[in-house]
Amino acid sequence: MYSINLHRAVKNLCKAHIESVVQERFGSKCFRIFRLLLLKGHLEQKQIEEFAMIPAKEAKEMVYRMFEEHFITLTEVPKTPDHAPSRTYYLFSVNINQVSRMLLEKCFKAMTNLMNRRDHESRENRRLLEKQQRVEAIAASLEQSGADPAQKEEVEQMITPPERAQVAKVKHMTNKMEQSEIQLDETMFIIQTYLQSTHVHDVKLK
């Protein structure tokens, strides 16, 4: 009997989203390091440089940049009880659950900022947008009633060229923010689904 491992499917989908974020935020070389850590697990700095085939200085900068932004984690494994740095392994890895929670929090903040910005733009330009809607409604009514084209053109000229430019700018900005909200909403849904699936999966294993 065949069955679908939904938890694994959701996890892979979540990983793909996180990888996309890493590539967009840090670039292709950081993306290579991130994927390497996903595949290999725990690696030392020197191993990362060798496996990723990136010069030592550049690789070190990339690793610590992702570490500072909590996309990768560092585990210290001492060889001796005194925890001396020279006798300690420093292993980098990716904790998908931790990264998922961090990204989810960032998504919530970004969504709030986008919604506030969109509301602000709408309030700031409310009168102009309402004027444009009224003019469009009157022009459409005149067209339907078969009015003289000159009369329709006169109504449309109630919106000045600078006002039209401002309306176009506001609408373009608003559309971009709405698209960003849709993308964020999709990412949040996938991450939340993965975290919930992980919780259920872990409970079943106990």
Side-chain angles (χ1 to χ4, degrees), residues 169-192:
K169 180 181 176 182
V170 171
K171 285 188 173 181
H172 177 70
M173 189 183 303
T174 301
N175 287 338
K176 283 185 70 176
M177 286 189 283
E178 286 176 350
Q179 287 299 314
S180 295
E181 287 176 30
I182 291 171
Q183 291 174 354
L184 277 172
D185 192 54
E186 180 184 343
T187 299
M188 288 161 63
F189 172 75
I190 289 171
I191 293 176
Q192 285 177 314

Side-chain angles (χ1 to χ4, degrees), residues 128 131 156-169:
L128 179 58
K131 178 183 177 181
E156 289 175 340
Q157 288 176 352
M158 291 170 64
I159 298 285
T160 65
E163 286 176 331
R164 288 187 186 279
Q166 180 63 16
V167 167
K169 180 181 176 182

Side-chain angles (χ1 to χ4, degrees), residues 12-61:
N12 288 337
L13 193 57
C14 186
K15 276 185 180 180
H17 264 70
I18 292 172
E19 289 173 354
S20 177
V21 170
V22 169
Q23 184 161 20
E24 185 177 338
R25 190 178 185 89
F26 302 107
S28 60
K29 289 184 179 179
C30 281
F31 170 67
R32 194 192 310 168
I33 292 172
F34 188 83
R35 287 209 71 185
L36 177 65
L37 290 171
L38 279 176
L39 292 170
K40 298 287 187 179
H42 294 77
L43 292 175
E44 290 185 277
Q45 179 67 46
K46 188 171 181 59
Q47 291 176 306
I48 292 172
E49 297 160 12
E50 292 173 354
F51 287 133
M53 293 183 290
I54 297 173
K57 184 181 177 182
E58 191 177 3
K60 187 174 182 179
E61 289 173 354

Side-chain angles (χ1 to χ4, degrees), residues 57-116:
K57 184 181 177 182
E58 191 177 3
K60 187 174 182 179
E61 289 173 354
M62 291 174 176
V63 166
Y64 279 95
R65 187 180 167 200
M66 287 191 286
F67 171 72
E68 285 176 354
E69 296 200 30
H70 309 292
F71 280 86
I72 61 178
T73 58
L74 176 63
T75 303
E76 297 182 9
V77 182
K79 300 177 189 175
T80 55
D82 60 0
H83 290 258
S86 61
R87 293 186 293 276
T88 300
Y89 291 112
Y90 296 94
L91 303 176
F92 293 96
S93 62
V94 174
N95 184 323
I96 285 295
N97 291 357
Q98 180 180 311
V99 176
S100 296
R101 286 190 288 268
M102 179 270 291
L103 275 183
L104 187 60
E105 185 179 344
K106 285 183 180 292
C107 284
F108 276 120
K109 288 180 180 177
M111 180 69 82
T112 301
N113 291 338
L114 278 171
M115 293 172 69
N116 288 340

